[in-house]
Every structure is written in C-alpha cells, then in structure tokens.
C-alpha cells in the first residue's frame, strides 16, 4: 500500500498587525490581561477587500513553490476553514480558479480548530487508497470580520486572528516509521455533547423559519459564545490523551519526538500539556504570541514557520494535537 509524505509548506498572514494596545482602544481590556491569560501579544487582521480564499491562495502558492512541484501535478484540494468567503459554495471553489486550476475536486472541511488534522487524515487516506497522488491542503481563516469587537465580546475577540497555512502531501512508498519521511498516524475524535460550549448559533436551520433574522442578529447570535474555562480544561485533557494514544499505538517514546506542533488556542494550554506530559518547552513550537488563534490555520502556519526558522528539518519526527469547537480533537504523528 502507498503512504503519503509532506513535501512542502507555506504560510501567509495579512500585513496589518493589531497589538493588544490597539484592542485597548476599542474595548475594555488590557495588554497585561491578554498576555497573562493567553500569551497573545498581537494578531493580524485583513483589510476590507480580502477574503479567506485570498489568504489561502497566497499560502498555497508558497507551499507549491516550497514543494518544487508544478501546480498541474495537484489532483485534489482540501480546505479547512470555519470562516468561508460566502455561505456556499465552499472556499475551495473560490480558491481553485485563483490558483489557476480547473476541474480537480475541492473539499471544504468544517472541524474548526481540529480542521487541519482532519484534512491531513483525509488526504492520507485518499493517497493510501491510490485515489489521488498529490494533494494541496490549506487551513485558512478570517476571524476579524466575525468578531464582536465591543467589550461584550472581549473574552473571545482578543484571542483570534487571521492567517493561512498550506502543505502538499504526495504519494510515497516510504513506510519505516523509525527513519522514513511519511504521515505515520492520525487519531480523530468528536464529542458533540460539548458543541454549545463554543459555537455561533446563527445563521442556521435550527434558528426558526428563517436562517437569518433581524431578531437573532440584534441578539448577537451570529457571534461566537464560549464557556472558556470548560473548553480550556477539556483542551488540556483531550490533547494529552490523544498524544498518549498516538505514542502508544506507534510504539514511540515521548523522547523520540523531535518537535511538537500543537494547535494555538492559548499558550497556557500548551504549557500545561508540556508540563503534564513532561515535554521540554524547547520542543514545543508556538506562534500564538504573534498570530493569535487562527483556528484551522494554526498547525500549517506552525509547520511553515518552523521550517523557515530552521526548527523543523527533513527527517524530524513531529507530533501534532488540536482541540476545539465541536468538541473535536485529535493527534497525528509524521516524519517530516
Ligand atoms: O481554539 C478553540 C479553543 N479555545 C480555547 O481553547 C480557549 C479556552 N479558554 C481560554 O483560553 C480562557 O478561558 C480565556 C483566555 C478565554 C479566559 O481566561 P480565564 O482565566 O478563563 O478568564 P475568565 O473567563 O474566567 O475571566 C476572568 C475575568 C472576568 O472578570 P471577573 O468576572 O473576574 O470580574 C472576565 O470578565 O476576566 C474578565 N475578562 C477580561 N478582562 C480583560 C474576560 N475577557 C477579558 C478581556 N480583557 N479580554
């Protein structure tokens, strides 16, 4: 059977930097509160013209270049996002022509902060089955256009940023986990009982006769609501569980992992995971300080930035884990 290998990565964040001090000017918050509770110092916000597919297109172009392939080799596009250009069709449909591609299938994945782990797992399965050979995966979000930027929404709005990361996964016959570069494992979970701990109720088919009503919007039901403490506690617990499972199933010792690329929801979550699992801080690569939480973008942005800064090199064994709205969570192990 085939396996799949990550052969290139790229990222793009919009140039506009929004610091915590900038947020202090528009809502009741403080730089110190945001840094102490989340580790975030700044994030990026797009300008008015930019759509999610535009960020995705730029990250994809970098990934294609980094992989050294011709774009005509791509035979499928997977987009992980919860902030699409339009209600429908999916971002993939707008991204494909922006990349100068036609006809190849595009699939949008809606698993929020775990979206990119789901995308990698789906791509790996397509490649292993022989259905596709070279898949472009992108995680992209524009949160800044959907945040409640008043004091009422401050618990959520200070955490999120805009950005995109992309990788190319390609068929290989590599299969020795101890030395070969390939996507080794994926473990995915969903627990829908926690769905309303982090969600946006509207627009939606469960919202009455009309998906969008003035009443629902006046009640701010299109903004995210979060039970922060509960989500935090579950994130630490579930990401630790998923990582332990991935190590056990593959007979890897924690010390064998060269780099941990976690979802970036809160620096304190990643610090607690490292503490609980006895992972040296130097092996955890975080970008949240600069970009905030870009949801489906965090893991591929981390990959591209770790490559650029020399922290992630060919042959290294990497473990990723994520947790978010759904609840959905998971882990994967791959040799870069
Ligand atoms: O990627 C998706 C998954 N998301 C997550 O994993 C996020 C998980 N949750 C968290 O990261 C944390 O719960 C938060 C960072 C969101 C909040 O931290 P916390 O320590 O749980 O704070 P809290 O919600 O208990 O709020 C503490 C206080 C409250 O004031 P009182 O009631 O003690 O007077 C809040 O009103 O901080 C207040 N507060 C703020 N103050 C300044 C809430 N948000 C802010 C803010 N600036 N932005």
């Amino acid at each position: 059977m085939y396996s799949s290998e990550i052969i290139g990565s790229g990222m793009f964040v919009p140039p506009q930097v929004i610091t915590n001090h900038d947020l202090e000017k528009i809502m009741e918050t403080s730089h110190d509160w945001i840094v102490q509770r989340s580790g975030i110092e700044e994030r990026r916000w797009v300008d008015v013209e930019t759509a999610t597919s535009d960020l995705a297109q730029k990250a994809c172009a970098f990934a294609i270049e980094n992989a050294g392939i011709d774009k005509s080799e791509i035979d499928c596009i997977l987009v992980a996002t919860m902030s699409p250009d339009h209600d429908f069709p999916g971002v993939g449909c707008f991204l494909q022509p922006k990349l100068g591609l036609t006809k190849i299938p595009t699939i949008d994945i809606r698993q929020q902060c775990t979206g990119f782990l789901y995308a990698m797992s789906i791509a790996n399965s397509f490649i292993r089955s022989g259905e596709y050979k070279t898949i472009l995966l992108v995680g992209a979000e524009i949160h800044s256009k959907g945040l409640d930027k008043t004091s009422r929404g401050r618990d959520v709005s200070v955490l999120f940023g805009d950005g995109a990361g992309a990788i190319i996964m390609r068929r290989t016959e590599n299969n020795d986990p101890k030395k070969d570069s390939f996507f080794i494992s994926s473990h995915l979970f969903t627990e829908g009982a926690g769905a309303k701990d982090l969600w946006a109720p509207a627009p939606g088919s469960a919202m009455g006769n009309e998906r969008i009503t003035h009443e629902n919007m006046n009640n701010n039901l299109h903004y995210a609501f979060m039970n922060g403490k509960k989500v935090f506690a579950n994130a630490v617990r579930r990401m630790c569980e998923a990582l332990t499972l991935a190590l056990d199933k593959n007979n890897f010792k924690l010390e064998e992992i060269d780099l941990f690329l976690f979802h970036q929801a809160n620096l304190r979550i990643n610090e607690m995971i490292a503490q609980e699992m006895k992972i040296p801080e130097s092996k955890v690569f975080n970008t949240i300080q600069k970009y905030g939480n870009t949801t489906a973008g965090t893991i591929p942005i981390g990959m591209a930035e770790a490559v650029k800064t020399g922290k992630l090199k060919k042959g290294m064994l990497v473990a990723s884990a994520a947790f978010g709205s759904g609840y959905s969570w998971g882990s994967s192990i791959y040799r870069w």
Side-chain angles (χ1 to χ4, degrees):
M1 197 190 263
Y2 303 117
S3 57
S4 64
E5 182 184 3
I6 299 168
I7 60 164
S9 61
M11 63 166 280
F12 180 77
V13 289
Q16 185 184 196
V17 177
I18 304 293
T19 65
N20 295 339
H21 297 296
D22 293 327
L23 295 182
E24 283 172 358
K25 293 176 201 144
I26 56 172
M27 63 182 80
E28 267 177 66
T29 190
S30 72
H31 172 76
D32 290 347
W33 189 97
I34 300 171
V35 171
Q36 276 163 21
R37 306 285 173 135
S38 73
I40 298 167
E41 289 169 20
E42 56 189 45
R43 75 287 292 140
R44 304 298 179 96
W45 285 1
V46 291
D47 58 21
V48 67
E49 284 88 21
T50 304
T52 306
S53 61
D54 297 315
L55 295 186
Q57 183 267 323
K58 290 194 168 69
C60 291
F62 286 126
I64 292 167
E65 188 190 334
N66 183 250
I69 60 164
D70 191 274
K71 65 185 181 192
S72 62
E73 293 172 54
I74 296 166
D75 47 17
C76 178
I77 300 173
L78 298 182
V79 184
T81 188
M82 56 167 283
S83 50
D85 291 24
H86 300 283
D87 219 13
F88 72 89
V91 169
C93 300
F94 297 99
L95 171 64
Q96 186 211 52
K98 286 182 182 173
L99 288 168
L101 295 170
T102 56
K103 277 174 95 177
I104 57 166
T106 70
I107 302 167
D108 273 37
I109 295 160
R110 286 277 305 263
Q111 283 298 345
Q112 302 73 243
C113 298
T114 321
F116 203 75
L117 293 188
Y118 274 75
M120 286 200 294
S121 182
I122 294 166
N124 183 51
S125 301
F126 272 144
I127 291 171
R128 281 168 68 85
S129 74
E131 188 150 358
Y132 301 114
K133 194 172 167 193
T134 308
I135 302 185
L136 170 63
L137 298 79
V138 55
E141 304 286 0
I142 291 182
H143 285 309
S144 61
K145 296 189 185 187
L147 299 171
D148 179 354
K149 299 190 190 93
T150 68
S151 299
R152 188 184 48 222
R154 65 182 181 172
D155 60 323
V156 171
S157 54
V158 301
L159 302 176
F160 290 91
D162 304 340
I167 60 171
I168 309 282
M169 285 174 74
R170 191 165 64 182
R171 181 195 290 178
T172 173
E173 286 178 19
N174 289 354
N175 63 10
D176 182 349
K178 293 289 170 191
K179 64 175 179 60
D180 285 348
S181 292
F182 76 108
F183 188 85
I184 297 168
S185 75
S186 155
H187 293 92
L188 302 174
F189 302 92
T190 298
E191 185 67 70
K196 294 186 178 176
D197 284 335
L198 177 49
W199 72 315
S205 62
M207 298 307 294
N209 276 343
E210 296 286 336
R211 304 178 63 248
I212 303 178
T213 62
H214 289 292
E215 193 192 351
N216 287 341
M217 300 203 51
N218 291 339
N219 288 328
N220 296 305
L221 297 184
H222 55 300
Y223 290 130
F225 292 85
M226 177 166 70
N227 184 343
K229 282 200 189 313
K230 205 170 157 199
V231 172
F232 189 113
N234 274 283
V236 175
R237 178 176 150 223
R238 295 306 199 181
M239 284 166 72
C240 285
E241 271 176 21
L243 276 170
T244 305
L245 180 68
L247 293 168
D248 290 351
K249 289 271 180 195
N250 292 297
N251 291 317
F252 281 127
K253 294 194 202 62
L254 191 96
E255 306 74 66
E256 288 178 85
I257 305 291
D258 298 306
L259 196 69
F260 292 85
L261 284 178
F262 296 146
H263 172 51
Q264 305 286 302
N266 187 321
L267 191 62
R268 309 296 161 233
I269 292 177
N270 293 356
E271 287 170 349
M272 283 182 80
I273 294 168
Q275 206 180 347
E276 207 148 295
M277 295 196 61
K278 303 195 175 39
I279 300 169
E281 292 277 344
S282 61
K283 281 193 175 182
V284 183
F285 188 75
N286 290 309
T287 58
I288 189 165
Q289 300 92 327
K290 290 190 296 183
Y291 306 135
N293 181 351
T294 57
T295 307
T298 61
I299 287 178
I301 286 174
M303 290 170 170
E305 188 139 314
V307 168
K308 263 199 288 188
T309 54
K311 294 267 168 23
L312 178 53
K313 298 194 183 83
K314 186 87 184 144
M316 284 172 78
L317 190 62
V318 187
S320 284
F323 179 91
S325 164
Y327 300 140
S328 65
W329 70 98
S331 63
S332 62
I333 293 187
Y334 40 97
R335 196 175 286 282
W336 194 257

